[in-house]
Amino acid sequence: MSKTAYQDVERRFAEIVDLSSGVEILSWDQEVMMPPGGAETRAQTMATLQGVIHERMTSPDLVSTVRTAQRGRAKLTPRQRRGLELVRRSVDKATCVPADLARELSLAQSRGLEAWRVARTNSDFGAFVPALETIVDLVRRKAQLRAGKNGALYDALLDDYEPGMTTERLDELLDELEAITVPLVRKVVQSDVRVDVRPFVGKFKIDAQRDFARQVSEAMGIRFDQGRLDLSTHPFCGGTGPGDVRMTSRYDENDMRGGLFGVIHESGHGLYEQGRDPNKRRTPLGGAISMGIHESQSRLWENNVARGKPFWEAWYDRFIDAHPKLRKFDVDAIWRAANIVEPSMIRVEADELTYNLHIILRTRIERDLISGEIDVTDLPARWNESMQSMLGITPADDAEGVLQDIHWAMGAIGYFPTYSLGNLYAAQFMEAARSSIRGLDRKIAKGDMLTLRTWLADNIHRHDQTFTAEKIVKRVTGKPLGTEAFARHIRKKVKAIYG
Amino acid sequence: MSKTAYQDVERRFAEIVDLSSGVEILSWDQEVMMPPGGAETRAQTMATLQGVIHERMTSPDLVSTVRTAQRGRAKLTPRQRRGLELVRRSVDKATCVPADLARELSLAQSRGLEAWRVARTNSDFGAFVPALETIVDLVRRKAQLRAGKNGALYDALLDDYEPGMTTERLDELLDELEAITVPLVRKVVQSDVRVDVRPFVGKFKIDAQRDFARQVSEAMGIRFDQGRLDLSTHPFCGGTGPGDVRMTSRYDENDMRGGLFGVIHESGHGLYEQGRDPNKRRTPLGGAISMGIHESQSRLWENNVARGKPFWEAWYDRFIDAHPKLRKFDVDAIWRAANIVEPSMIRVEADELTYNLHIILRTRIERDLISGEIDVTDLPARWNESMQSMLGITPADDAEGVLQDIHWAMGAIGYFPTYSLGNLYAAQFMEAARSSIRGLDRKIAKGDMLTLRTWLADNIHRHDQTFTAEKIVKRVTGKPLGTEAFARHIRKKVKAIYG
């Protein structure tokens, strides 16, 4: 009886997965392929489709079947119990948001994106204010419904991106991270060491950049019969999971770092998606554990692998073949150039060290925005003050300040901190990989990245959501998430380069 | 009361349009962008999404609201009455096919496509027989449900593609078309004139072909901020209507005709889509009138404009700039080469004259298949006999014979005749345009194609489905659809080239 009820839950959930896969491809198309004239039609299509998903997620049939299945929990296998728990959480989240609000949110997001694009192009924050106010208002209403009477609003939002994380624990981690970072940044800024940036900054053919990046991506294990790599203004990794992964990037003739490390970053996400279990895809267990775990996979490849010296030992010759005028630089010079630390305006272009300050800044701002401590119109001033106090620089205009990121325009509030959580997870996973795989760095230096890919797939990717983030970190690293591994990693690197 | 009911019908229908727009983009992606690994996931997504659409189209709420609105018909405006009629037809079509049959059909189509691909590759019709027998059986059952006790089965199928057309009228038109075509083909075959094909057949850079085709498309009035032109194996025009039109093409280094006239053809479809009224898009009136009218727009630009001498007077210099080695050919030589008539095996590569014989052959065969006069196993023999008697040639094998087209494998029976109807509509519309627009050919010869585009948009495109095909033809040309205009057009051209 209870088994039948769970099977019914799975069957209903599979159709929700199908529809969500449709949303994934339509979102990718919206960013990568859609002509501008398609925006309004797409907004309506997305809103209606999200509405159908919401309708199914909250349907009395599903709700009562979940309840029946829960009464028979005792007879379920542990995996089925985890599946049921995941469905129940999704159903609960959906049922406490009325269909009208869900639809309004979807429309506000599509429209927010368009308004943000225009505002960013003209560096005109004022033009974005009405759309963003609508979004913040709707997101806050959603959070209130989710959090209940006494719950913290920001916790309710965090839960969408990092299930199990609390604002309290997050604040502790970010405070520690700030305490690790600030003295290192001061040390670098005051250092006499000047790293030569010319291995990456100059004039480089886009084709050569793209071909090299694609070679690296393939060597990491990305399968292009199960995915694509395209261009977009805001690089991301989407798609429908194993079999169809959609990565994007952008290349700059004058600075290769964004293109190369961007492709490696998105390929890290892509490997997670391609490494997931195809047999779990249409089941409640299918999917990534959290955005933080997802980000750990991109960061691990970008920072812990491709900004390490072994990587450059392996790839030096092919890099020089792609850009022959770089022959005067040796492996060491290229590795140093890949790790230059310099406070800068744009998060996605920030170095590994200062990056987390950008995240801490955004997290604190959005937390205060949601609590009502500040208003949308306060954002530019608050942003610029924070940049000055944390990084010692002030944006010239809002385009390189508060308008630089797409997240708030998408209604993705609570998302930013997962980037720094990703950095923490990544350092901890990489330490575990090093102690599990004999001579991992020697392998990477010989061009073998597949051993690491396989280890990650076996230990993380193929489990999908079988384990919580907390559990997978303990399984893989033996400890809960902390800042120690990252502190060791970053201090060692900064010391090696800046003394 | 009735007005409220109609508004409710419109509201429900708008969401069906949204979901169908999703299907459109997902289908385009499937053909143009999706990596092979995405096939299985996409099949499930499409099936579920089509299921949701069918569910909404047949929902008791919509059915009863339509009935209520119909009882208050008298108080509706003529446009609302037409909108209600369109929704009622869609609802009736959906409700008279039980969900089980719809699912069986969808499954048979997926299997049919797979079986057809294998059979075509091996030129083994026998391998396709079981799948096609299932499809024909299910399509016949669908037709029986649609047609009712005394209705003609083929009429019921035609109605999906050319609403209002009857088998009786179609037979008359196709008989006339055959009587016009056969003597002309005989004349060409017996003629001593040999047209030099080298303006299009040789070795031509793909980039130059693509750039030239795109220039022509833009000059026709295609707006690339409201559409895309990509590559695909089977060229088509899809998308979600005004604002987001997705055209595809393919280019052949050795023969420019498929690429150039293909882009012009798809741009004709694209102009129809871009010319539709954005305000009707999410309403029952939104959409193309029929497949025949749609095809008339592609054919008009491909055959009546771009295979005409004025077009080549305007484009000669740019064509020669793109392919300098063609300088030895003059406008007349290029125009002649664009109009070579030669009986051939493959429909999609056929010239303007023999093309209709391919269609007449297919229409008669599928009509007899549906009436039960012939069986699936009779198809290859019937096909080859017809090719011999109509075109004087016999396919070497089934791959270049009965297996060449995808339509039957997709269960699209009743679709083929709309290609020839498109040719007839096109000639009749073009005559009307010539008598409405002073010096139209002189304008085209000077590179002005926008005057024609605007005329087509004003007279046809922007009305969407406000009028039936029958009504729009009468409005635009003053006469019902006939073969006379096409006869005049094709006789004149064949005489000019073959004497």
Side-chain angles (χ1 to χ4, degrees):
Chain A
M1 169 65 194
S2 65
K3 198 187 159 202
T4 308
Y6 181 70
Q7 281 171 341
D8 194 31
V9 167
E10 279 201 316
R11 188 184 57 76
R12 288 171 191 278
F13 191 77
E15 294 204 346
I16 294 174
V17 172
D18 293 339
L19 298 172
S20 305
S21 296
V23 168
E24 277 297 328
I25 297 298
L26 291 169
S27 307
W28 172 85
D29 181 89
Q30 197 168 16
E31 287 300 307
V32 185
M33 296 292 160
M34 187 185 78
E40 185 56 23
T41 297
R42 184 62 51 87
Q44 279 157 334
T45 291
M46 295 294 263
T48 298
L49 195 47
Q50 302 272 23
V52 172
I53 291 171
H54 187 265
E55 208 173 76
R56 301 225 158 186
M57 197 68 104
T58 59
S59 84
D61 284 350
L62 179 59
V63 170
S64 79
T65 315
V66 166
R67 264 194 217 119
T68 309
Q70 279 190 298
R71 280 196 297 273
R73 265 185 106 260
K75 286 180 213 137
L76 297 179
T77 67
R79 302 245 156 149
Q80 288 174 327
R81 262 178 254 159
R82 169 72 175 153
L84 185 59
E85 166 66 9
L86 286 162
V87 176
R88 191 196 54 75
R89 287 170 49 93
S90 298
V91 168
D92 283 356
K93 277 188 185 176
T95 43
C96 73
V97 176
D100 280 357
L101 177 55
R103 193 184 154 85
E104 270 184 86
L105 249 169
S106 171
L107 267 175
Q109 285 160 7
S110 293
R111 286 174 183 155
L113 277 173
E114 284 307 300
W116 168 74
R117 283 202 183 95
V118 175
R120 190 195 191 200
T121 304
N122 305 325
S123 191
D124 176 11
F125 184 76
F128 182 41
V129 166
L132 185 55
E133 281 178 339
T134 305
I135 287 168
V136 170
D137 178 54
L138 294 169
V139 169
R140 203 187 276 130
R141 274 165 58 196
K142 182 181 83 172
Q144 277 157 350
L145 292 165
R146 288 259 181 87
K149 262 189 305 217
N150 301 312
L153 297 190
Y154 196 66
D155 277 340
L157 297 176
L158 257 185
D159 198 63
D160 274 349
Y161 307 103
E162 198 65 23
M165 181 56 65
T166 62
T167 308
E168 198 187 342
R169 179 66 190 136
L170 177 67
D171 283 346
E172 286 170 11
L173 289 167
L174 295 189
D175 287 350
E176 286 174 37
L177 194 51
E178 190 181 15
I180 294 161
T181 306
V182 168
L184 289 175
V185 173
R186 197 177 307 126
K187 186 169 140 183
V188 170
V189 169
Q190 292 169 354
S191 157
D192 293 332
V193 177
R194 289 291 167 268
V195 180
D196 192 340
V197 76
R198 288 175 303 163
F200 293 102
V201 174
K203 203 86 180 170
F204 304 97
K205 284 198 181 113
I206 299 287
D207 280 1
Q209 290 190 50
R210 200 184 46 211
D211 293 349
F212 180 78
R214 206 177 158 101
Q215 272 184 59
V216 173
S217 178
E218 277 181 306
M220 285 167 62
I222 285 291
R223 285 184 55 176
F224 282 103
D225 61 338
Q226 302 188 353
R228 294 180 56 91
L229 176 58
D230 293 276
L231 297 174
S232 78
T233 323
H234 199 281
F236 68 99
C237 176
T240 62
D244 194 355
V245 172
R246 307 283 173 107
M247 299 167 289
T248 72
S249 188
R250 60 178 172 198
Y251 302 92
D252 178 346
E253 224 183 13
N254 305 310
D255 190 338
M256 290 202 279
R257 290 173 293 185
L260 176 58
F261 294 107
V263 169
I264 293 168
H265 178 101
E266 302 308 336
S267 298
H269 284 304
L271 285 180
Y272 188 5
E273 291 295 310
Q274 289 191 346
R276 282 169 42 204
D277 180 359
N279 295 321
K280 295 197 184 83
R281 202 190 55 78
R282 266 178 112 234
T283 78
L285 290 182
I289 299 169
S290 74
M291 297 310 295
I293 297 291
H294 223 309
E295 192 69 8
S296 78
Q297 300 307 291
S298 54
R299 292 290 162 174
L300 184 147
W301 286 99
E302 179 192 356
N303 289 333
N304 302 74
V305 176
R307 284 198 168 90
K309 210 184 280 186
F311 175 87
W312 286 102
E313 283 164 18
W315 288 89
Y316 179 80
D317 289 345
R318 276 166 287 187
F319 190 58
I320 301 300
D321 283 349
H323 309 288
K325 67 177 171 187
L326 294 180
R327 199 168 298 281
K328 61 189 169 203
F329 297 103
D330 61 9
V331 169
D332 196 69
I334 292 169
W335 166 70
R336 281 172 198 277
N339 285 289
I340 289 176
V341 172
E342 189 173 25
S344 62
M345 298 301 173
I346 306 296
R347 174 184 63 85
V348 295
E349 292 165 7
D351 58 80
E352 193 180 349
L353 178 62
T354 61
Y355 185 91
N356 291 311
L357 298 178
H358 289 270
I359 295 306
I360 294 168
L361 176 161
R362 284 157 178 74
T363 303
R364 289 174 184 163
I365 291 178
E366 65 179 21
R367 201 190 49 198
D368 292 350
L369 194 59
I370 287 303
S371 73
E373 213 164 291
I374 59 169
D375 294 326
V376 165
T377 48
D378 299 328
L379 286 177
R382 169 73 185 269
W383 186 284
N384 294 348
E385 285 158 27
S386 306
M387 281 297 289
Q388 188 57 48
S389 73
M390 293 178 81
L391 286 146
I393 52 178
T394 298
D397 57 24
D398 291 339
E400 70 167 27
V402 68
L403 285 172
Q404 70 183 263
D405 285 307
I406 200 170
H407 302 64
W408 293 337
M410 291 169 63
I413 299 176
Y415 188 124
F416 278 125
T418 67
Y419 289 125
S420 281
L421 294 176
N423 289 331
L424 301 181
Y425 286 125
Q428 208 163 318
F429 287 144
M430 192 66 182
E431 279 195 355
R434 280 210 175 86
S435 63
S436 293
I437 304 168
R438 251 175 74 110
L440 174 58
D441 286 312
R442 281 198 311 277
K443 285 181 196 296
I444 292 172
K446 283 181 185 150
D448 168 15
M449 297 196 284
L450 295 182
T451 301
L452 177 58
R453 194 278 313 255
T454 303
W455 185 89
L456 291 167
D458 287 348
N459 285 283
I460 301 167
H461 307 170
R462 73 182 176 82
H463 300 297
D464 286 58
Q465 300 186 75
T466 305
F467 310 108
T468 61
E470 216 183 335
K471 209 179 246 175
I472 201 106
V473 174
K474 278 212 189 119
R475 269 176 66 101
V476 176
T477 74
K479 296 183 280 278
L481 179 67
T483 56
E484 300 78 14
F486 180 77
R488 281 189 288 273
H489 161 74
I490 199 73
R491 281 176 185 144
K492 188 177 162 195
K493 193 184 271 187
V494 170
K495 188 173 168 53
I497 295 176
Y498 289 94
Chain B
M1 169 64 196
S2 64
K3 198 187 159 200
T4 309
Y6 181 70
Q7 282 171 341
D8 193 31
V9 168
E10 278 201 317
R11 187 183 58 75
R12 288 171 190 279
F13 192 77
E15 295 205 345
I16 294 174
V17 172
D18 293 339
L19 298 173
S20 305
S21 295
V23 168
E24 276 296 327
I25 298 298
L26 291 169
S27 307
W28 172 85
D29 182 89
Q30 198 167 16
E31 287 298 308
V32 185
M33 294 293 160
M34 187 184 78
E40 181 57 23
T41 298
R42 184 61 51 84
Q44 280 158 333
T45 291
M46 295 293 263
T48 299
L49 195 47
Q50 301 273 25
V52 172
I53 292 171
H54 187 264
E55 208 173 76
R56 299 223 159 189
M57 197 66 103
T58 59
S59 85
D61 284 350
L62 179 58
V63 170
S64 80
T65 316
V66 167
R67 266 195 214 117
T68 309
Q70 278 191 299
R71 280 196 296 274
R73 264 186 107 256
K75 286 179 212 137
L76 296 178
T77 67
R79 301 244 158 152
Q80 287 174 328
R81 260 178 256 159
R82 169 73 175 152
L84 185 59
E85 167 67 9
L86 286 162
V87 176
R88 191 196 54 75
R89 287 170 51 92
S90 299
V91 169
D92 283 356
K93 277 187 185 178
T95 44
C96 76
V97 175
D100 281 355
L101 177 55
R103 208 169 302 129
E104 270 184 87
L105 248 170
S106 156
L107 212 69
Q109 285 161 8
S110 303
R111 288 175 184 154
L113 277 173
E114 194 49 40
W116 169 73
R117 285 202 178 95
V118 175
R120 191 194 190 201
T121 304
N122 305 325
S123 192
D124 175 11
F125 185 76
F128 183 40
V129 167
L132 185 55
E133 281 177 339
T134 305
I135 287 170
V136 171
D137 178 53
L138 294 169
V139 169
R140 205 187 276 132
R141 274 166 58 196
K142 183 181 83 171
Q144 277 157 350
L145 292 164
R146 290 258 181 87
K149 262 191 303 215
N150 300 313
L153 298 190
Y154 195 67
D155 278 341
L157 297 176
L158 257 184
D159 198 63
D160 274 351
Y161 309 103
E162 198 64 22
M165 180 56 65
T166 62
T167 309
E168 197 186 342
R169 180 64 190 135
L170 178 67
D171 283 346
E172 286 171 12
L173 289 166
L174 294 189
D175 287 351
E176 286 175 36
L177 193 51
E178 187 183 17
I180 293 160
T181 305
V182 168
L184 289 174
V185 174
R186 196 176 310 128
K187 187 169 141 182
V188 169
V189 170
Q190 292 169 356
S191 157
D192 292 332
V193 177
R194 290 290 165 271
V195 180
D196 192 341
V197 75
R198 287 174 304 162
F200 293 102
V201 175
K203 203 88 178 168
F204 304 96
K205 283 197 182 117
I206 300 286
D207 280 1
Q209 288 190 50
R210 199 184 46 211
D211 293 350
F212 180 77
R214 204 177 161 101
Q215 273 184 59
V216 173
S217 178
E218 277 182 305
M220 286 167 62
I222 284 292
R223 287 185 54 178
F224 282 103
D225 61 338
Q226 302 188 352
R228 296 180 55 90
L229 175 58
D230 293 278
L231 297 174
S232 76
T233 324
H234 304 286
F236 67 99
C237 176
T240 62
D244 194 354
V245 173
R246 308 283 173 106
M247 298 165 290
T248 72
S249 187
R250 60 176 172 197
Y251 303 92
D252 179 346
E253 227 183 11
N254 305 311
D255 189 337
M256 290 203 279
R257 290 174 293 185
L260 176 59
F261 294 108
V263 168
I264 294 167
H265 179 100
E266 301 308 335
S267 298
H269 284 303
L271 285 180
Y272 187 5
E273 292 294 311
Q274 289 192 345
R276 283 170 39 202
D277 180 359
N279 295 320
K280 295 197 184 82
R281 202 190 56 78
R282 266 178 111 235
T283 78
L285 290 182
I289 299 170
S290 73
M291 298 307 296
I293 297 291
H294 223 308
E295 192 70 8
S296 78
Q297 299 306 292
S298 54
R299 294 288 163 172
L300 184 149
W301 287 99
E302 179 192 355
N303 289 333
N304 302 74
V305 176
R307 284 200 167 90
K309 211 185 279 185
F311 175 88
W312 285 102
E313 283 164 18
W315 288 88
Y316 179 80
D317 288 346
R318 277 167 285 188
F319 189 59
I320 300 298
D321 284 349
H323 309 288
K325 69 177 170 189
L326 294 181
R327 199 168 298 281
K328 62 188 167 204
F329 298 102
D330 61 9
V331 169
D332 196 69
I334 293 169
W335 166 69
R336 282 171 198 277
N339 285 290
I340 289 176
V341 171
E342 189 173 27
S344 62
M345 297 299 173
I346 307 296
R347 175 184 63 86
V348 295
E349 293 164 7
D351 59 81
E352 192 180 350
L353 177 63
T354 61
Y355 185 91
N356 291 312
L357 297 179
H358 290 270
I359 296 306
I360 294 167
L361 176 161
R362 284 158 178 75
T363 303
R364 288 176 184 162
I365 292 178
E366 64 179 21
R367 197 194 52 199
D368 292 350
L369 195 58
I370 288 301
S371 75
E373 210 165 293
I374 58 170
D375 294 326
V376 166
T377 48
D378 299 328
L379 286 176
R382 169 72 184 267
W383 185 284
N384 294 348
E385 284 159 26
S386 306
M387 281 297 289
Q388 188 57 47
S389 72
M390 293 178 82
L391 285 145
I393 51 179
T394 298
D397 56 24
D398 291 339
E400 71 166 26
V402 67
L403 286 172
Q404 72 183 262
D405 284 308
I406 200 171
H407 301 62
W408 292 338
M410 291 170 64
I413 299 176
Y415 188 123
F416 277 125
T418 67
Y419 290 125
S420 280
L421 294 175
N423 289 330
L424 300 181
Y425 286 126
Q428 206 163 320
F429 287 145
M430 192 66 183
E431 278 196 353
R434 280 208 176 88
S435 65
S436 293
I437 305 167
R438 252 176 74 109
L440 174 58
D441 285 312
R442 281 197 309 279
K443 286 182 196 294
I444 292 172
K446 283 182 185 150
D448 168 15
M449 298 195 284
L450 295 182
T451 302
L452 177 59
R453 194 280 311 258
T454 304
W455 186 88
L456 290 167
D458 288 347
N459 286 283
I460 301 168
H461 307 170
R462 74 181 175 83
H463 300 298
D464 286 59
Q465 301 186 76
T466 307
F467 310 109
T468 61
E470 213 184 337
K471 210 180 244 174
I472 202 104
V473 174
K474 277 212 189 119
R475 269 177 67 102
V476 176
T477 73
K479 294 183 280 277
L481 178 65
T483 55
E484 299 77 14
F486 180 77
R488 280 189 288 273
H489 161 73
I490 200 72
R491 281 176 185 143
K492 189 175 162 195
K493 193 184 272 187
V494 169
K495 188 173 168 53
I497 294 176
Y498 289 95

